[in-house]
Amino acid sequence: GAVVSQHPSRVICKSGTSVKIECRSLDFQATTMFWYRQFPKQSLMLMATSNEGSKATYEQGVEKDKFLINHASLTLSTLTVTSAHPEDSSFYICSAQGGGKFSNQPQHFGDGTRLSIL
Amino acid sequence: AQKVTQAQTEISVVEKEDVTLDCVYETRDTTYYLFWYKQPPSGELVFLIRRNSFDEQNEISGRYSWNFQKSTSSFNFTITASQVVDSAVYFCALMDTGRRALTFGSGTRLQVQP
């Protein structure tokens, strides 16, 4: 079964709306979570890395005020797309990495969120 | 900087043909991991394999096999006797042990025709 749950799977909303995407690790503690973005027919690009209890590290070119990331617990990270516009429409996917003895395990990916801004 | 190159944008084969997906990577790290993921039209990423940089043994899993050649920085993926259900986008990815984020290739879209 899924070890990382991402919700919602699909969002359609009006321009100017803020959208929150949740990423939960179901049966392990995720010390690190990663957020990726995928435009249609393109590759996945890392947006940011979040470690539990600390500020996220954003990749160059990713607006931290536009994409707010919170990793308040070892099982939950959220990505909020603030005041979304059509150019923010994309597929967003998270992955979670366990800590300690699980740090060498492959990352587990959520099923992704398809965001469409009208 | 790390880089993963999948030169084949799209491949089309007929069912039962063998197909090899190429992956070439660049990294300055001596310790790293290589991955292959399958992304069907529904969008989720399906983990296929992870290989660490110290293990150059080839691996076979059913119809899937992987050839890791450190000398040429390649990690190629072969599907034997392809099936329609293999149709998907396949991504090769590289992870350094420091940052642990994945650097993905641009993906290869495989279409298997019946």
Side-chain angles (χ1 to χ4, degrees):
Chain A
V3 294
V4 172
S5 171
Q6 188 172 339
H7 179 80
S9 58
R10 188 174 182 94
V11 180
I12 302 173
C13 57
K14 293 181 180 178
S15 185
T17 308
S18 291
V19 178
K20 181 185 279 189
I21 303 170
E22 291 187 350
C23 182
R24 292 181 185 273
S25 57
L26 298 181
D27 56 3
F28 68 99
Q29 294 186 326
T31 52
T32 305
M33 286 189 174
F34 304 92
W35 287 94
Y36 297 85
R37 180 176 183 175
Q38 185 181 29
F39 289 108
K41 298 193 176 183
Q42 293 191 27
S43 187
L44 291 88
M45 303 298 293
L46 179 69
M47 297 175 67
T49 302
S50 76
N51 292 296
E52 185 264 339
S54 61
K55 288 185 179 179
T57 303
Y58 289 81
E59 294 300 296
Q60 196 172 9
V62 178
E63 298 175 60
K64 59 180 70 174
D65 295 331
K66 160 69 88 174
F67 300 101
L68 300 179
I69 292 172
N70 184 284
H71 192 162
S73 78
L74 283 171
T75 59
L76 175 64
S77 176
T78 60
L79 166 66
T80 301
V81 184
T82 61
S83 187
H85 288 95
E87 59 267 26
D88 299 322
S89 299
S90 189
F91 186 65
Y92 294 87
I93 191 165
C94 70
S95 72
Q97 178 78 60
K101 63 179 180 178
F102 300 106
S103 62
N104 282 329
Q105 296 294 320
Q107 293 173 18
H108 299 283
F109 281 86
D111 285 346
T113 298
R114 201 165 298 280
L115 176 62
S116 299
I117 308 298
L118 306 177
Chain B
Q2 299 191 326
K3 187 178 178 182
V4 177
T5 301
Q6 294 180 255
Q8 304 149 309
T9 306
E10 194 160 338
I11 300 175
S12 183
V13 298
V14 177
E15 213 170 13
K16 297 184 183 176
E17 282 185 25
D18 298 347
V19 58
T20 295
L21 310 182
D22 298 333
C23 173
V24 175
Y25 63 93
E26 294 175 31
T27 180
R28 293 179 184 170
D29 296 326
T30 55
T31 303
Y32 51 89
Y33 291 91
L34 294 162
F35 298 79
W36 275 95
Y37 286 90
K38 175 182 180 180
Q39 187 178 43
S42 48
E44 75 274 18
L45 284 176
V46 179
F47 168 79
L48 297 177
I49 190 171
R50 181 183 75 162
R51 173 67 71 215
N52 78 49
S53 53
F54 296 110
D55 183 0
E56 287 193 69
Q57 281 193 346
N58 292 331
E59 180 153 342
I60 298 174
S61 176
R63 296 184 297 108
Y64 296 168
S65 62
W66 291 269
N67 184 299
F68 177 28
Q69 300 248 340
K70 215 167 173 179
S71 59
T72 55
S73 297
S74 66
F75 186 43
N76 297 337
F77 171 33
T78 297
I79 302 175
T80 303
S82 59
Q83 299 177 1
V84 173
V85 293
D86 296 328
S87 298
V89 179
Y90 291 85
F91 289 98
C92 179
L94 171 67
M95 183 183 83
D96 69 80
T97 53
R99 201 170 67 143
R100 308 196 78 82
L102 292 173
T103 299
F104 285 88
S106 54
T108 297
R109 183 176 300 274
L110 174 64
Q111 290 197 329
V112 181
Q113 310 286 351

